[in-house]
Amino acid sequence: MGGIPLAMALRGWEQHKAAVFRLRDSFDRLPPGAKVRLAKPTSNLFRPRSRLAEPGLDTQGLTGVIALDLPSVMRAGASEESAQVATADVQGMCTYEDLVAETLPHGFIPLVVPQLRTITLGGAVTGLGIESTSFRNGFPHESVTELDILTGAGEVVTVRPGDELFDAFPNSYGSLGYATRVQIALERVPAYAELRHIRLTGPHELTELIGTVVETRMHGGVRVDAVDGVAFTPNEIVATLARWTDEPGPTSDYTGQRIFYRSLLERDTDRLTMHDYLWRWDTDWFWCSRAFGAQHPVIRRLWPKRWRRSDVYHRLVGLDRRFGILDRLDRRAGRPARERVIQDVEVPLERLTEFLTWLDATVGMRPVWLCPVVARGTVTGERWPLYPMTPGKVWVNIGFWGTVQVGPDAPHGPMNRAIEAKVLELGGHKSLYSEAFFDPETFDRLYAGAHLARVKAEHDPDDRLTSLYDKAVLRR
Protein backbone atom coordinates (compact mmCIF):
# COMPACT_ATOMS: atom_id res chain seq x y z
CA MET A 1 0.00 0.00 0.00
CA GLY A 2 2.81 2.41 -0.87
CA GLY A 3 4.18 2.95 2.62
CA ILE A 4 0.80 3.23 4.44
CA PRO A 5 0.30 0.35 6.93
CA LEU A 6 -1.97 -2.32 5.51
CA ALA A 7 -3.81 -2.67 8.83
CA MET A 8 -4.92 0.95 8.59
CA ALA A 9 -6.36 0.36 5.13
CA LEU A 10 -8.17 -2.83 6.20
CA ARG A 11 -9.73 -1.13 9.20
CA GLY A 12 -10.84 1.66 6.87
CA TRP A 13 -12.47 -0.73 4.43
CA GLU A 14 -14.31 -2.62 7.16
CA GLN A 15 -15.67 0.61 8.62
CA HIS A 16 -16.67 1.78 5.15
CA LYS A 17 -18.49 -1.49 4.44
CA ALA A 18 -20.52 -1.08 7.64
CA ALA A 19 -21.38 2.55 6.80
CA VAL A 20 -22.61 1.61 3.32
CA PHE A 21 -24.74 -1.13 4.86
CA ARG A 22 -26.40 1.46 7.14
CA LEU A 23 -26.96 3.76 4.18
CA ARG A 24 -28.62 1.04 2.11
CA ASP A 25 -30.66 -0.12 5.09
CA SER A 26 -32.02 3.41 5.56
CA PHE A 27 -32.91 3.44 1.85
CA ASP A 28 -34.79 0.15 2.18
CA ARG A 29 -36.76 1.49 5.16
CA LEU A 30 -38.19 4.41 3.18
CA PRO A 31 -41.83 4.05 2.13
CA PRO A 32 -42.25 2.69 -1.41
CA GLY A 33 -42.04 5.49 -3.94
CA ALA A 34 -40.81 8.07 -1.40
CA LYS A 35 -38.32 10.63 -2.64
CA VAL A 36 -34.71 10.00 -1.60
CA ARG A 37 -32.43 12.59 -0.05
CA LEU A 38 -29.32 12.48 2.13
CA ALA A 39 -29.37 13.55 5.76
CA LYS A 40 -26.40 15.94 5.59
CA PRO A 41 -24.90 17.80 8.55
CA THR A 42 -23.41 20.51 6.29
CA SER A 43 -24.11 22.06 2.91
CA ASN A 44 -22.42 24.61 0.67
CA LEU A 45 -25.51 25.16 -1.47
CA PHE A 46 -27.05 28.62 -1.69
CA ARG A 47 -30.53 27.77 -2.79
CA PRO A 48 -33.39 27.03 -0.39
CA ARG A 49 -35.03 23.64 -0.71
CA SER A 50 -38.44 22.30 0.26
CA ARG A 51 -38.54 19.87 3.16
CA LEU A 52 -39.40 16.21 2.69
CA ALA A 53 -41.73 14.39 5.04
CA GLU A 54 -39.52 11.30 4.98
CA PRO A 55 -36.18 11.17 6.84
CA GLY A 56 -32.97 11.53 4.88
CA LEU A 57 -30.63 8.61 4.27
CA ASP A 58 -28.30 7.68 7.13
CA THR A 59 -24.83 8.98 6.25
CA GLN A 60 -23.18 8.16 9.59
CA GLY A 61 -19.72 6.73 9.10
CA LEU A 62 -19.39 8.03 5.52
CA THR A 63 -17.28 11.06 6.45
CA GLY A 64 -13.69 9.79 6.50
CA VAL A 65 -10.72 8.54 4.53
CA ILE A 66 -10.81 4.83 3.81
CA ALA A 67 -7.25 4.28 2.63
CA LEU A 68 -4.24 5.98 1.08
CA ASP A 69 -2.03 4.48 -1.59
CA LEU A 70 1.10 6.63 -1.69
CA PRO A 71 4.49 6.02 -3.33
CA SER A 72 6.93 5.70 -0.45
CA VAL A 73 9.93 6.97 -2.45
CA MET A 74 10.12 9.14 -5.55
CA ARG A 75 13.02 7.89 -7.62
CA ALA A 76 15.66 10.53 -8.25
CA GLY A 77 15.21 11.99 -11.72
CA ALA A 78 11.89 10.20 -12.30
CA SER A 79 9.40 12.15 -14.36
CA GLU A 80 6.00 12.98 -13.00
CA GLU A 81 4.42 10.80 -15.67
CA SER A 82 6.52 7.73 -14.83
CA ALA A 83 6.08 8.00 -11.08
CA GLN A 84 3.55 5.82 -9.28
CA VAL A 85 0.20 7.58 -9.10
CA ALA A 86 -0.82 8.42 -5.54
CA THR A 87 -4.49 7.93 -4.73
CA ALA A 88 -6.89 8.17 -1.83
CA ASP A 89 -10.09 6.20 -1.35
CA VAL A 90 -12.43 8.59 0.39
CA GLN A 91 -16.01 8.36 1.58
CA GLY A 92 -18.48 10.59 -0.20
CA MET A 93 -19.28 12.79 2.82
CA CYS A 94 -15.63 13.33 3.76
CA THR A 95 -14.68 17.00 3.69
CA TYR A 96 -11.59 18.25 1.92
CA GLU A 97 -10.43 19.54 5.29
CA ASP A 98 -10.41 16.01 6.69
CA LEU A 99 -8.83 14.53 3.55
CA VAL A 100 -6.02 17.10 3.51
CA ALA A 101 -5.42 16.45 7.23
CA GLU A 102 -4.63 12.83 6.28
CA THR A 103 -2.64 13.40 3.09
CA LEU A 104 -0.63 16.58 3.74
CA PRO A 105 1.54 15.08 6.52
CA HIS A 106 2.72 12.62 3.84
CA GLY A 107 3.40 15.45 1.38
CA PHE A 108 0.35 14.96 -0.88
CA ILE A 109 -2.85 16.84 -1.67
CA PRO A 110 -5.67 16.36 -4.20
CA LEU A 111 -4.94 17.86 -7.59
CA VAL A 112 -7.62 20.50 -6.96
CA VAL A 113 -8.62 21.47 -3.42
CA PRO A 114 -11.79 23.62 -3.38
CA GLN A 115 -11.35 26.74 -1.29
CA LEU A 116 -13.84 26.03 1.53
CA ARG A 117 -13.01 23.47 4.21
CA THR A 118 -16.39 21.75 4.46
CA ILE A 119 -16.90 21.03 0.77
CA THR A 120 -17.16 17.25 0.54
CA LEU A 121 -15.57 14.96 -2.03
CA GLY A 122 -18.96 13.75 -3.18
CA GLY A 123 -20.24 17.32 -3.34
CA ALA A 124 -17.29 18.53 -5.42
CA VAL A 125 -17.78 15.69 -7.90
CA THR A 126 -21.54 15.89 -8.31
CA GLY A 127 -21.66 19.69 -7.93
CA LEU A 128 -18.32 20.77 -9.40
CA GLY A 129 -15.53 22.71 -7.74
CA ILE A 130 -12.56 24.85 -8.67
CA GLU A 131 -9.39 26.40 -7.26
CA SER A 132 -6.10 27.97 -8.22
CA THR A 133 -4.58 24.75 -9.62
CA SER A 134 -7.48 24.37 -12.06
CA PHE A 135 -5.54 26.05 -14.88
CA ARG A 136 -3.40 22.89 -15.02
CA ASN A 137 -5.57 20.23 -13.30
CA GLY A 138 -9.10 21.13 -14.40
CA PHE A 139 -12.03 20.39 -12.09
CA PRO A 140 -11.96 18.07 -9.03
CA HIS A 141 -13.98 15.39 -10.83
CA GLU A 142 -11.32 15.19 -13.55
CA SER A 143 -8.84 13.60 -11.12
CA VAL A 144 -11.33 10.95 -9.95
CA THR A 145 -10.36 7.45 -11.03
CA GLU A 146 -13.29 5.47 -9.62
CA LEU A 147 -16.68 6.08 -7.99
CA ASP A 148 -19.13 4.02 -5.97
CA ILE A 149 -22.61 5.51 -6.40
CA LEU A 150 -25.83 4.72 -4.57
CA THR A 151 -28.41 4.93 -7.35
CA GLY A 152 -32.12 5.66 -7.19
CA ALA A 153 -32.69 1.92 -7.45
CA GLY A 154 -30.98 1.42 -4.09
CA GLU A 155 -27.93 -0.28 -5.61
CA VAL A 156 -24.29 0.70 -5.10
CA VAL A 157 -22.51 0.52 -8.44
CA THR A 158 -18.83 1.07 -9.21
CA VAL A 159 -18.13 3.24 -12.25
CA ARG A 160 -14.96 4.51 -13.91
CA PRO A 161 -14.03 7.14 -16.52
CA GLY A 162 -15.75 6.32 -19.79
CA ASP A 163 -18.76 4.68 -18.14
CA GLU A 164 -21.92 6.58 -18.99
CA LEU A 165 -22.98 7.09 -15.37
CA PHE A 166 -19.48 8.24 -14.37
CA ASP A 167 -19.28 10.82 -17.17
CA ALA A 168 -22.80 12.14 -16.45
CA PHE A 169 -22.28 12.36 -12.69
CA PRO A 170 -20.46 15.75 -12.57
CA ASN A 171 -23.01 18.58 -12.24
CA SER A 172 -25.87 16.14 -11.56
CA TYR A 173 -26.28 17.33 -7.92
CA GLY A 174 -27.65 14.05 -6.62
CA SER A 175 -30.16 13.57 -9.42
CA LEU A 176 -28.27 10.43 -10.53
CA GLY A 177 -27.35 9.16 -7.07
CA TYR A 178 -24.88 9.80 -4.28
CA ALA A 179 -21.18 9.01 -4.14
CA THR A 180 -20.37 6.63 -1.30
CA ARG A 181 -16.69 6.25 -2.28
CA VAL A 182 -14.44 8.46 -4.36
CA GLN A 183 -11.02 7.30 -5.50
CA ILE A 184 -9.03 10.41 -6.30
CA ALA A 185 -5.52 11.09 -7.58
CA LEU A 186 -3.10 13.07 -5.43
CA GLU A 187 -0.03 15.13 -6.23
CA ARG A 188 3.15 15.58 -4.23
CA VAL A 189 3.66 19.04 -2.72
CA PRO A 190 6.40 20.70 -0.66
CA ALA A 191 6.01 22.61 2.59
CA TYR A 192 5.30 26.14 1.35
CA ALA A 193 3.58 28.28 -1.25
CA GLU A 194 5.53 31.34 -2.34
CA LEU A 195 3.18 34.08 -3.60
CA ARG A 196 3.60 36.99 -5.97
CA HIS A 197 0.82 39.57 -6.14
CA ILE A 198 0.87 41.13 -9.62
CA ARG A 199 -1.01 44.42 -9.83
CA LEU A 200 -2.87 45.00 -13.08
CA THR A 201 -4.71 48.06 -14.33
CA GLY A 202 -7.57 46.34 -16.10
CA PRO A 203 -9.03 43.09 -17.48
CA HIS A 204 -7.04 43.37 -20.71
CA GLU A 205 -3.80 42.95 -18.76
CA LEU A 206 -5.31 40.09 -16.77
CA THR A 207 -6.39 38.33 -19.96
CA GLU A 208 -2.86 38.55 -21.34
CA LEU A 209 -1.30 37.31 -18.10
CA ILE A 210 -3.64 34.32 -17.82
CA GLY A 211 -3.02 33.34 -21.43
CA THR A 212 0.74 33.39 -20.91
CA VAL A 213 0.63 31.47 -17.61
CA VAL A 214 -1.66 28.77 -19.00
CA GLU A 215 0.53 28.32 -22.07
CA THR A 216 3.97 28.41 -20.43
CA ARG A 217 3.33 27.64 -16.71
CA MET A 218 5.76 30.52 -16.12
CA HIS A 219 5.73 34.24 -15.40
CA GLY A 220 8.79 36.44 -15.32
CA GLY A 221 11.01 33.37 -15.55
CA VAL A 222 9.45 31.79 -12.43
CA ARG A 223 7.38 28.59 -12.43
CA VAL A 224 3.67 29.01 -11.64
CA ASP A 225 1.92 26.17 -9.82
CA ALA A 226 -1.31 28.00 -8.98
CA VAL A 227 -3.02 31.20 -10.07
CA ASP A 228 -6.10 33.15 -9.09
CA GLY A 229 -6.95 36.81 -8.66
CA VAL A 230 -9.23 39.47 -7.26
CA ALA A 231 -10.74 42.41 -9.14
CA PHE A 232 -11.17 45.10 -6.49
CA THR A 233 -12.24 47.83 -8.91
CA PRO A 234 -12.41 48.02 -12.72
CA ASN A 235 -8.83 49.33 -12.80
CA GLU A 236 -7.42 47.56 -9.75
CA ILE A 237 -6.91 43.84 -10.28
CA VAL A 238 -4.40 41.62 -8.49
CA ALA A 239 -3.30 38.28 -9.91
CA THR A 240 -1.73 35.98 -7.30
CA LEU A 241 0.83 33.52 -8.67
CA ALA A 242 1.94 30.70 -6.39
CA ARG A 243 5.07 28.56 -6.60
CA TRP A 244 5.38 25.40 -4.52
CA THR A 245 8.69 25.35 -2.64
CA ASP A 246 10.60 23.75 0.22
CA GLU A 247 12.80 26.79 0.62
CA PRO A 248 12.59 27.93 4.26
CA GLY A 249 11.51 31.41 5.20
CA PRO A 250 9.09 33.40 7.34
CA THR A 251 5.39 32.73 6.74
CA SER A 252 2.26 34.81 7.21
CA ASP A 253 -0.75 33.86 9.31
CA TYR A 254 -4.18 35.07 8.18
CA THR A 255 -6.23 33.11 10.71
CA GLY A 256 -5.85 35.84 13.36
CA GLN A 257 -6.20 39.61 13.06
CA ARG A 258 -4.76 39.88 9.56
CA ILE A 259 -7.05 39.30 6.59
CA PHE A 260 -5.79 37.55 3.47
CA TYR A 261 -7.65 39.38 0.71
CA ARG A 262 -6.48 42.75 2.03
CA SER A 263 -2.87 41.58 1.86
CA LEU A 264 -3.11 41.42 -1.92
CA LEU A 265 -3.07 45.23 -1.97
CA GLU A 266 -0.62 45.61 0.90
CA ARG A 267 2.34 43.55 -0.26
CA ASP A 268 4.01 42.26 -3.41
CA THR A 269 5.18 38.87 -2.14
CA ASP A 270 4.16 36.48 0.60
CA ARG A 271 4.80 32.98 1.87
CA LEU A 272 2.31 30.58 3.45
CA THR A 273 2.56 27.04 4.66
CA MET A 274 0.89 24.69 2.20
CA HIS A 275 -1.86 24.08 4.75
CA ASP A 276 -2.56 27.80 5.17
CA TYR A 277 -2.43 28.39 1.42
CA LEU A 278 -5.10 25.77 0.80
CA TRP A 279 -7.43 27.38 3.34
CA ARG A 280 -6.42 31.02 2.82
CA TRP A 281 -9.93 31.96 1.69
CA ASP A 282 -11.85 29.95 4.27
CA THR A 283 -11.07 32.04 7.39
CA ASP A 284 -13.01 35.02 6.02
CA TRP A 285 -15.05 33.19 3.38
CA PHE A 286 -13.10 35.27 0.87
CA TRP A 287 -14.30 38.75 2.03
CA CYS A 288 -17.84 37.82 3.05
CA SER A 289 -17.07 37.75 6.80
CA ARG A 290 -17.28 41.54 6.74
CA ALA A 291 -21.07 41.23 6.42
CA PHE A 292 -21.10 39.84 9.97
CA GLY A 293 -18.71 42.45 11.37
CA ALA A 294 -15.97 39.83 11.74
CA GLN A 295 -13.39 42.07 10.04
CA HIS A 296 -13.84 44.95 12.48
CA PRO A 297 -10.68 44.94 14.67
CA VAL A 298 -12.61 45.00 17.96
CA ILE A 299 -15.16 42.36 16.96
CA ARG A 300 -12.44 40.20 15.42
CA ARG A 301 -10.52 40.09 18.69
CA LEU A 302 -13.68 38.94 20.47
CA TRP A 303 -14.81 36.54 17.71
CA PRO A 304 -13.50 33.08 18.74
CA LYS A 305 -10.84 31.85 16.33
CA ARG A 306 -12.58 28.50 15.98
CA TRP A 307 -15.58 30.39 14.57
CA ARG A 308 -13.59 32.10 11.80
CA ARG A 309 -14.67 29.52 9.25
CA SER A 310 -16.86 29.50 6.18
CA ASP A 311 -19.29 26.94 7.63
CA VAL A 312 -20.00 29.22 10.60
CA TYR A 313 -20.79 32.14 8.28
CA HIS A 314 -22.90 29.83 6.13
CA ARG A 315 -25.03 28.93 9.15
CA LEU A 316 -25.50 32.62 9.89
CA VAL A 317 -26.71 33.12 6.31
CA GLY A 318 -29.12 30.24 6.87
CA LEU A 319 -30.53 31.95 9.95
CA ASP A 320 -31.01 35.15 7.97
CA ARG A 321 -32.82 33.27 5.22
CA ARG A 322 -35.03 31.56 7.79
CA PHE A 323 -36.03 34.66 9.75
CA GLY A 324 -35.58 37.39 7.10
CA ILE A 325 -33.43 39.52 9.40
CA LEU A 326 -31.83 41.73 6.72
CA ASP A 327 -35.14 42.17 4.90
CA ARG A 328 -36.79 43.36 8.11
CA LEU A 329 -33.98 45.81 8.81
CA ASP A 330 -34.20 47.18 5.25
CA ARG A 331 -37.95 47.68 5.53
CA ARG A 332 -37.61 49.36 8.91
CA ALA A 333 -34.97 51.73 7.51
CA GLY A 334 -36.98 52.44 4.34
CA ARG A 335 -34.31 50.96 2.07
CA PRO A 336 -35.14 49.23 -1.23
CA ALA A 337 -35.47 45.46 -1.18
CA ARG A 338 -32.33 43.40 -1.71
CA GLU A 339 -31.71 40.53 -4.09
CA ARG A 340 -29.14 37.91 -3.15
CA VAL A 341 -26.64 37.56 -5.97
CA ILE A 342 -24.42 34.57 -5.23
CA GLN A 343 -22.95 33.27 -8.44
CA ASP A 344 -19.98 31.50 -9.98
CA VAL A 345 -19.86 31.58 -13.74
CA GLU A 346 -17.29 30.63 -16.35
CA VAL A 347 -16.71 32.71 -19.45
CA PRO A 348 -14.16 32.16 -22.22
CA LEU A 349 -10.93 34.01 -21.54
CA GLU A 350 -11.39 36.19 -24.62
CA ARG A 351 -14.79 37.41 -23.29
CA LEU A 352 -13.54 38.24 -19.77
CA THR A 353 -13.20 41.99 -20.39
CA GLU A 354 -16.67 42.18 -21.86
CA PHE A 355 -18.26 40.37 -18.92
CA LEU A 356 -16.48 42.40 -16.23
CA THR A 357 -17.40 45.65 -17.99
CA TRP A 358 -21.04 44.57 -18.11
CA LEU A 359 -20.93 43.40 -14.48
CA ASP A 360 -19.74 46.82 -13.32
CA ALA A 361 -22.38 48.67 -15.32
CA THR A 362 -25.29 46.40 -14.44
CA VAL A 363 -24.62 44.72 -11.09
CA GLY A 364 -21.93 46.90 -9.54
CA MET A 365 -20.58 44.22 -7.21
CA ARG A 366 -16.93 44.23 -6.12
CA PRO A 367 -14.60 42.55 -5.28
CA VAL A 368 -14.96 39.54 -7.55
CA TRP A 369 -12.83 36.41 -7.52
CA LEU A 370 -11.16 35.28 -10.74
CA CYS A 371 -9.79 31.79 -11.37
CA PRO A 372 -8.69 30.35 -14.73
CA VAL A 373 -9.65 26.77 -15.54
CA VAL A 374 -8.80 24.46 -18.40
CA ALA A 375 -11.09 21.43 -18.50
CA ARG A 376 -9.43 18.13 -19.35
CA GLY A 377 -12.57 16.50 -20.68
CA THR A 378 -13.54 12.84 -20.52
CA VAL A 379 -11.12 10.00 -21.25
CA THR A 380 -12.17 10.16 -24.89
CA GLY A 381 -11.43 13.89 -25.03
CA GLU A 382 -15.12 14.81 -25.18
CA ARG A 383 -16.89 17.43 -23.09
CA TRP A 384 -18.46 16.38 -19.81
CA PRO A 385 -22.12 15.96 -20.85
CA LEU A 386 -23.78 17.98 -18.06
CA TYR A 387 -21.24 20.83 -18.03
CA PRO A 388 -19.93 20.93 -21.58
CA MET A 389 -16.87 23.19 -21.46
CA THR A 390 -14.58 22.62 -24.42
CA PRO A 391 -11.53 20.63 -23.22
CA GLY A 392 -8.25 22.52 -23.57
CA LYS A 393 -9.97 25.89 -23.90
CA VAL A 394 -9.12 28.58 -21.34
CA TRP A 395 -12.06 29.73 -19.23
CA VAL A 396 -12.19 32.08 -16.27
CA ASN A 397 -14.37 31.41 -13.26
CA ILE A 398 -15.83 34.64 -11.86
CA GLY A 399 -17.26 34.51 -8.35
CA PHE A 400 -19.35 37.31 -6.86
CA TRP A 401 -21.36 36.99 -3.70
CA GLY A 402 -23.55 39.49 -1.90
CA THR A 403 -26.76 41.47 -2.30
CA VAL A 404 -27.91 44.30 -4.56
CA GLN A 405 -30.81 46.67 -4.07
CA VAL A 406 -33.55 46.12 -6.63
CA GLY A 407 -36.61 47.96 -5.33
CA PRO A 408 -39.91 46.70 -3.90
CA ASP A 409 -41.63 46.13 -7.24
CA ALA A 410 -38.87 44.12 -8.92
CA PRO A 411 -39.78 40.58 -10.04
CA HIS A 412 -38.14 37.66 -8.25
CA GLY A 413 -34.53 37.28 -9.29
CA PRO A 414 -34.23 40.09 -11.88
CA MET A 415 -30.48 40.57 -11.42
CA ASN A 416 -29.76 36.85 -11.41
CA ARG A 417 -31.82 36.45 -14.58
CA ALA A 418 -29.84 39.23 -16.24
CA ILE A 419 -26.57 37.52 -15.26
CA GLU A 420 -27.77 34.21 -16.69
CA ALA A 421 -28.70 35.89 -19.97
CA LYS A 422 -25.35 37.66 -20.26
CA VAL A 423 -23.36 34.51 -19.52
CA LEU A 424 -25.28 32.68 -22.25
CA GLU A 425 -24.69 35.52 -24.67
CA LEU A 426 -20.93 35.24 -24.09
CA GLY A 427 -20.87 31.47 -24.54
CA GLY A 428 -20.26 30.82 -20.84
CA HIS A 429 -21.61 28.50 -18.17
CA LYS A 430 -23.33 29.07 -14.85
CA SER A 431 -22.79 26.91 -11.77
CA LEU A 432 -25.93 25.48 -10.14
CA TYR A 433 -24.97 25.62 -6.46
CA SER A 434 -27.03 28.79 -6.07
CA GLU A 435 -30.41 29.88 -7.37
CA ALA A 436 -31.17 29.45 -11.06
CA PHE A 437 -34.07 30.86 -13.11
CA PHE A 438 -33.85 29.15 -16.51
CA ASP A 439 -37.00 27.95 -18.25
CA PRO A 440 -37.11 24.16 -18.78
CA GLU A 441 -36.19 24.28 -22.47
CA THR A 442 -33.14 26.50 -21.93
CA PHE A 443 -32.06 24.46 -18.93
CA ASP A 444 -32.24 21.18 -20.86
CA ARG A 445 -30.26 22.68 -23.72
CA LEU A 446 -27.51 23.95 -21.42
CA TYR A 447 -27.23 20.94 -19.15
CA ALA A 448 -27.89 18.01 -21.50
CA GLY A 449 -31.43 17.39 -20.30
CA ALA A 450 -32.24 14.58 -22.75
CA HIS A 451 -28.99 12.74 -22.01
CA LEU A 452 -29.49 13.18 -18.26
CA ALA A 453 -33.06 11.88 -18.46
CA ARG A 454 -31.93 8.75 -20.29
CA VAL A 455 -29.15 7.97 -17.78
CA LYS A 456 -31.49 8.70 -14.89
CA ALA A 457 -34.18 6.40 -16.26
CA GLU A 458 -31.65 3.56 -16.43
CA HIS A 459 -30.36 3.93 -12.87
CA ASP A 460 -33.46 5.41 -11.20
CA PRO A 461 -36.35 3.66 -12.97
CA ASP A 462 -38.90 4.56 -10.26
CA ASP A 463 -37.90 8.25 -10.19
CA ARG A 464 -36.91 8.20 -6.52
CA LEU A 465 -34.32 10.96 -6.95
CA THR A 466 -35.33 14.57 -7.52
CA SER A 467 -34.53 15.77 -11.04
CA LEU A 468 -31.78 18.29 -11.67
CA TYR A 469 -34.22 20.94 -12.88
CA ASP A 470 -36.44 20.48 -9.86
CA LYS A 471 -33.41 20.82 -7.57
CA ALA A 472 -31.67 23.74 -9.25
CA VAL A 473 -34.61 25.86 -10.42
CA LEU A 474 -37.73 24.75 -8.53
CA ARG A 475 -35.73 24.28 -5.27
CA ARG A 476 -37.29 20.96 -4.40
Side-chain angles (χ1 to χ4, degrees):
M1 297 295 294
I4 302 300
L6 183 60
M8 177 196 296
L10 290 174
R11 284 197 301 270
W13 287 109
E14 287 301 314
Q15 186 274 340
H16 177 65
K17 181 179 178 181
V20 172
F21 178 85
R22 283 196 300 272
L23 179 73
R24 295 188 65 178
D25 181 63
S26 67
F27 183 102
D28 293 339
R29 285 188 278 106
L30 289 175
K35 285 292 184 179
V36 176
R37 185 179 292 178
L38 295 181
K40 295 182 63 177
T42 63
S43 173
N44 284 283
L45 294 179
F46 280 87
R47 41 182 159 83
R49 297 185 64 185
S50 58
R51 295 181 179 272
L52 293 179
E54 297 80 14
L57 299 182
D58 184 356
T59 60
Q60 292 184 67
L62 284 171
T63 60
V65 179
I66 305 167
L68 303 178
D69 190 358
L70 309 179
S72 54
V73 178
M74 179 76 77
R75 298 190 311 276
S79 66
E80 190 172 313
E81 291 76 13
S82 65
Q84 176 186 341
V85 175
T87 61
D89 283 280
V90 187
Q91 294 174 308
M93 298 287 292
C94 179
T95 66
Y96 275 89
E97 179 179 28
D98 289 340
L99 173 57
V100 167
E102 294 287 346
T103 63
L104 191 54
H106 300 283
F108 289 87
I109 62 171
L111 274 63
V112 179
V113 180
Q115 55 275 68
L116 303 183
R117 294 173 184 265
T118 56
I119 293 175
T120 63
L121 272 291
V125 174
T126 194
L128 305 185
I130 196 169
E131 237 294 337
S132 56
T133 58
S134 289
F135 81 101
R136 58 185 177 86
N137 290 333
F139 293 99
H141 62 265
E142 298 187 290
S143 53
V144 174
T145 54
E146 194 170 82
L147 278 174
D148 288 348
I149 299 174
L150 174 71
T151 69
E155 302 172 344
V156 176
V157 298
T158 300
V159 292
R160 300 174 182 84
D163 294 340
E164 191 171 59
L165 179 58
F166 183 101
D167 290 352
F169 199 68
N171 206 44
S172 64
Y173 282 91
S175 62
L176 293 177
Y178 300 104
T180 62
R181 178 183 66 92
V182 181
Q183 185 181 85
I184 190 167
L186 308 172
E187 70 175 11
R188 189 182 292 274
V189 292
Y192 305 104
E194 182 181 82
L195 309 185
R196 290 179 291 156
H197 301 311
I198 311 298
R199 289 174 175 77
L200 307 168
T201 59
H204 292 288
E205 289 187 10
L206 177 64
T207 298
E208 183 177 346
L209 181 147
I210 290 175
T212 298
V213 168
V214 170
E215 181 180 358
T216 66
R217 307 282 176 91
M218 302 282 288
H219 183 270
V222 179
R223 189 184 73 248
V224 177
D225 295 305
V227 57
D228 65 345
V230 175
F232 292 91
T233 71
N235 300 312
E236 192 174 38
I237 300 173
V238 179
T240 296
L241 312 181
R243 179 177 73 94
W244 303 160
T245 180
D246 269 323
E247 298 169 9
T251 58
S252 298
D253 179 5
Y254 294 103
T255 62
Q257 290 299 107
R258 301 169 67 190
I259 297 169
F260 177 71
Y261 85 94
R262 293 181 179 173
S263 73
L264 275 59
L265 294 174
E266 297 168 349
R267 53 193 307 166
D268 297 325
T269 61
D270 209 342
R271 182 185 296 262
L272 301 176
T273 65
M274 184 60 64
H275 176 275
D276 287 353
Y277 177 79
L278 295 177
W279 308 128
R280 67 200 183 281
W281 293 119
D282 188 87
T283 299
D284 286 286
W285 203 8
F286 289 84
W287 35 85
C288 296
S289 66
R290 64 187 179 184
F292 310 102
Q295 294 183 19
H296 188 284
V298 175
I299 297 176
R300 196 172 184 85
R301 280 193 291 270
L302 298 174
W303 195 292
K305 192 171 182 177
R306 67 183 182 278
W307 290 358
R308 295 176 199 154
R309 295 171 52 97
S310 60
D311 52 334
V312 172
Y313 308 131
H314 196 286
R315 287 196 290 271
L316 294 175
V317 170
L319 288 173
D320 174 57
R321 279 184 176 271
R322 182 178 177 185
F323 297 108
I325 299 170
L326 289 178
D327 292 340
R328 292 181 184 181
L329 292 175
D330 283 340
R331 286 196 298 270
R332 182 174 297 178
R335 291 188 292 263
R338 293 175 181 269
E339 178 182 350
R340 291 173 178 83
V341 179
I342 300 174
Q343 299 284 359
D344 275 78
V345 302
E346 277 96 22
V347 299
L349 177 62
E350 63 271 17
R351 310 302 294 271
L352 176 61
T353 296
E354 187 175 350
F355 181 80
L356 289 179
T357 301
W358 176 88
L359 189 71
D360 285 321
T362 307
V363 183
M365 186 179 290
R366 292 285 178 149
V368 298
W369 186 59
L370 304 159
C371 186
V373 57
V374 179
R376 296 177 171 186
T378 66
V379 292
T380 60
E382 298 296 322
R383 306 176 181 191
W384 295 97
L386 272 62
Y387 208 69
M389 293 170 60
T390 305
K393 182 180 178 68
V394 185
W395 305 78
V396 180
N397 175 277
I398 305 156
F400 39 102
W401 319 288
T403 62
V404 295
Q405 293 181 335
V406 293
D409 300 323
H412 182 49
M415 195 61 72
N416 285 284
R417 293 174 189 271
I419 292 167
E420 290 178 349
K422 190 63 179 181
V423 170
L424 263 62
E425 177 190 327
L426 299 181
H429 295 274
K430 169 186 151 53
S431 175
L432 297 176
Y433 74 90
S434 188
E435 292 179 291
F437 297 87
F438 296 113
D439 62 73
E441 293 75 20
T442 302
F443 188 89
D444 284 349
R445 174 170 56 83
L446 296 174
Y447 302 103
H451 180 81
L452 174 59
R454 182 171 59 78
V455 178
K456 187 177 188 301
E458 179 179 350
H459 296 280
D460 182 22
D462 297 324
D463 197 28
R464 302 290 299 277
L465 300 168
T466 305
S467 75
L468 182 60
Y469 185 80
D470 284 354
K471 283 174 176 279
V473 180
L474 302 184
R475 292 170 286 200
R476 292 176 180 170

